């Protein structure tokens, strides 16, 4: 009977082990990309809803307190601020990597009267964390605010 010492792995064993590790890491990377995409979509929905609620809450504040106000868009800081009687009432900052790039309102503000209505039509455009453009519009007269996808 012949006894042999095995000093290492056979080539087939090494290739099989590397294949298994590669396959598992590929599945893991696909899941991470899917999670990042899902997180971006959730943040986008939250951002759009927050902007919409911010404008509607500002209108409600003016109506309830019988005062005029203005929603101001600050591009450099990616935020919205609501002022009434020269005092800041509310502020909303967009999520990280999101940025406002266009607002077609006069002086970058929406003026709201004491009944909660605005005579300013407005379109707010922003980009999400993946660079996709999103648009929120506000109609004149009805003061209806809606989210639109591009």
């Amino acid at each position: 009977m012949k006894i042999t010492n095995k000093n290492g792995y056979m080539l087939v064993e090494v290739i099989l082990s590397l294949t298994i590790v590669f396959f598992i890491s590929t599945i893991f990377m696909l899941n991470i990309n899917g999670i990042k995409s899902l997180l971006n979509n959730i943040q986008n929905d939250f951002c759009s809803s927050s902007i919409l609620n911010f404008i509607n809450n500002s209108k409600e504040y003016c109506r309830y307190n019988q005062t005029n106000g203005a929603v101001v868009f600050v591009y450099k800081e990616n935020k919205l601020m609501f002022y009434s009687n020269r005092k800041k009432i509310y502020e909303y900052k967009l999520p990280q990597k999101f940025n406002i790039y266009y607002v077609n309102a006069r002086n970058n503000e929406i003026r709201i009267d004491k009944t909660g209505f605005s005579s300013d039509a407005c379109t707010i455009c922003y980009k999400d964390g993946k660079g996709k453009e999103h648009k929120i519009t506000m109609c004149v007269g009805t003061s209806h605010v809606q989210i639109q996808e591009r």
Side-chain angles (χ1 to χ4, degrees), residues 96-109:
Q96 220 173 9
K97 296 183 182 178
F98 281 52
N99 64 338
I100 299 172
Y101 69 92
Y102 176 73
V103 177
N104 73 337
R106 187 175 4 165
N107 298 325
N108 294 324
E109 68 180 26

Side-chain angles (χ1 to χ4, degrees), residues 57-120:
N57 289 342
S58 301
K59 291 179 185 182
E60 182 63 28
Y61 180 91
C62 290
R63 189 177 310 120
Y64 181 78
N65 293 299
Q66 293 292 298
T67 184
N68 295 328
V71 175
V72 179
F73 299 90
V74 183
Y75 288 99
K76 290 180 183 178
E77 299 175 27
N78 280 320
K79 65 182 177 181
L80 290 74
M81 294 186 289
F82 172 63
Y83 288 92
S84 180
N85 298 324
R86 298 183 185 175
K87 185 173 116 181
K88 183 168 64 169
I89 308 298
Y90 304 131
E91 180 178 309
Y92 172 70
K93 185 163 177 49
L94 272 67
Q96 220 173 9
K97 296 183 182 178
F98 281 52
N99 64 338
I100 299 172
Y101 69 92
Y102 176 73
V103 177
N104 73 337
R106 187 175 4 165
N107 298 325
N108 294 324
E109 68 180 26
I110 301 170
R111 289 180 308 282
I112 303 169
D113 66 18
K114 62 184 174 182
T115 62
F117 285 99
S118 174
S119 59
D120 298 329

Side-chain angles (χ1 to χ4, degrees), residues 1-19:
M1 198 167 359
K2 196 175 189 186
I3 300 175
T4 59
N5 284 341
K6 191 174 180 183
N7 293 332
Y9 297 102
M10 293 177 54
L11 183 60
V12 173
E13 292 173 330
V14 171
I15 290 174
L16 184 62
S17 298
L18 289 175
T19 303

Side-chain angles (χ1 to χ4, degrees), residues 11-29:
L11 183 60
V12 173
E13 292 173 330
V14 171
I15 290 174
L16 184 62
S17 298
L18 289 175
T19 303
I20 291 170
V21 168
F22 178 74
F23 182 71
I24 291 172
S25 65
T26 302
I27 291 172
F28 182 71
M29 291 305 291

